[in-house]
Amino acid sequence: MKLQITLAILLTTLLTARADTAAVYSKQCAKCHGTEGQGDTKMGKKLGSKDYTDSEVQKKVTDEAMARAIKEGLKVDGKTKMKGFEDLTDKEITGLVALMREFAKK
Ligand code: HEC
């Protein structure tokens, strides 16, 4: 009984964390990267968002680089492509990286 309760709490925590990450993504990232990571939004096209449903695109970037870009922002040739999201926690950032990795697995 105790084990079942522990498992239920654990599962709820995991699912909630996932839902939070998805909410952050749809609120703060989807306008450029697209709801499924395609990057084909108006802003995404303007800034040159890549297609993260493409596994070749995913292969070229490490988890560390992704996390750094989310935290500190990304500049290409001196131009800001994306500003950093300094208010996100490391846990949220790890979750966002995992979420973006899943775009290529569908
Ligand atoms: C204003 C538009 C914009 C927003 C908002 C935005 N990004 Fe980006 N992001 C870009 C562009 C443009 C690039 C560079 C091209 C690419 O990799 O898609 C980029 C690159 C990235 C990269 C790859 C970094 C690398 O080293 O190649 C990751 C990961 C990323 N964004 C995640 C996120 C996450 C997570 C959010 C939300 C918290 C977010 N972005 C919000 C525009 C945006």
Side-chain angles (χ1 to χ4, degrees):
M1 187 61 188
K2 216 171 169 185
L3 182 70
Q4 273 149 324
I5 294 169
T6 313
L7 284 176
I9 293 171
L10 196 69
L11 195 65
T12 313
T13 313
L14 283 173
L15 290 175
T16 316
R18 234 189 109 86
D20 285 350
T21 307
V24 172
Y25 183 87
S26 63
K27 212 170 135 204
Q28 308 205 50
C29 322
K31 58 176 177 266
C32 291
H33 289 287
T35 49
E36 300 289 326
Q38 326 87 318
D40 60 354
T41 62
K42 202 172 164 193
M43 237 153 105
K45 280 185 193 155
K46 203 174 134 198
L47 290 162
S49 290
K50 292 175 188 165
D51 181 3
Y52 284 91
T53 63
D54 184 344
S55 55
E56 291 303 314
V57 169
Q58 294 261 3
K59 268 186 217 161
K60 289 187 187 128
V61 60
T62 61
D63 286 359
E64 290 74 27
M66 288 174 82
R68 200 178 327 118
I70 298 168
K71 201 173 182 78
E72 296 168 11
L74 186 73
K75 265 190 187 181
V76 178
D77 299 329
K79 278 192 190 150
T80 302
K81 290 280 176 187
M82 166 174 126
K83 66 170 181 64
F85 295 85
E86 283 155 6
D87 50 345
L88 293 177
T89 64
D90 286 348
K91 211 172 143 197
E92 283 170 319
I93 292 175
T94 311
L96 286 165
V97 171
L99 186 95
M100 289 188 79
R101 288 298 190 198
E102 277 180 31
F103 291 146
K105 290 179 190 145
K106 279 177 190 159

